[in-house]
Amino acid sequence: MPAPTASSLISCLDVQARIDDITKATGWLGALAEAEAWPQATRFALELSLEEALTNVVSYGFRDSDAVPRIRIECHRLPEGRIAVRLIDNGVPFDPTTIAEPEVPASIEDARIGGHGIQLMRNFLESLAYAREGGENHLTLVAGRPD
């Protein structure tokens, strides 16, 4: 599948490393989805995944960094009705694609709260890709139109 390029860019948004900006970002993406008439499954997958990924960046990405936080979100139109959302930040290097799936607990009492965001993204997205380029994390979330 072709990677997002400058020519496939629909829109972009710069946000701060603040919890309040997560709602701003998902609202922006929802407005794009509405304007572009994305299928509900595509919209849900991307909004949920962006919220999970951005929460991780805001919560942990700048904890051990002296950098002034920069976070950019790009939305790209790909062939065959697919949509890519790329989250770019200058936080500490972190590749979420290397995180192992959580173990299934033996009982509800053994279940752990939290730590399931990446698994949710893997479940709802067509693909999840990471690259570290020029001192920045590039996380690309791709959702496609259902067959």
Side-chain angles (χ1 to χ4, degrees):
M1 171 171 304
T5 64
S7 65
S8 66
L9 186 67
I10 300 170
S11 183
C12 58
L13 177 71
D14 293 321
V15 296
Q16 302 297 311
R18 300 185 318 222
I19 293 294
D20 292 350
D21 278 11
I22 297 168
T23 303
K24 177 181 175 181
T26 56
W28 164 81
L29 191 62
L32 278 175
E34 192 74 27
E36 296 271 321
W38 298 348
Q40 187 61 33
T42 299
R43 179 179 180 165
F44 176 79
L46 290 172
E47 284 181 336
L48 172 74
S49 298
L50 177 60
E51 182 176 347
E52 290 291 338
L54 193 51
T55 297
N56 286 339
V57 170
V58 168
S59 300
Y60 309 110
F62 298 96
R63 214 180 244 178
D64 298 322
S65 172
D66 294 330
V68 174
R70 287 189 322 272
I71 303 171
R72 180 178 186 86
I73 306 162
E74 299 177 347
C75 185
H76 296 263
R77 188 178 298 109
L78 300 179
E80 300 172 3
R82 290 173 173 79
I83 304 295
V85 172
R86 180 177 285 162
L87 179 59
I88 304 165
D89 71 83
N90 66 329
V92 296
F94 176 68
D95 181 355
T97 65
T98 63
I99 302 299
E101 292 187 21
E103 290 184 26
V104 176
S107 68
I108 193 74
E109 290 81 21
D110 295 332
R112 220 181 80 211
I113 296 175
H116 300 282
I118 294 166
Q119 184 59 29
L120 282 172
M121 287 189 266
R122 287 179 179 139
N123 185 62
F124 287 105
L125 293 173
E126 179 179 312
S127 68
L128 176 67
Y130 172 83
R132 180 78 178 177
E133 298 174 9
E136 296 177 323
N137 296 300
H138 291 244
L139 182 64
T140 303
L141 319 168
V142 177
R145 295 184 185 267
D147 293 334

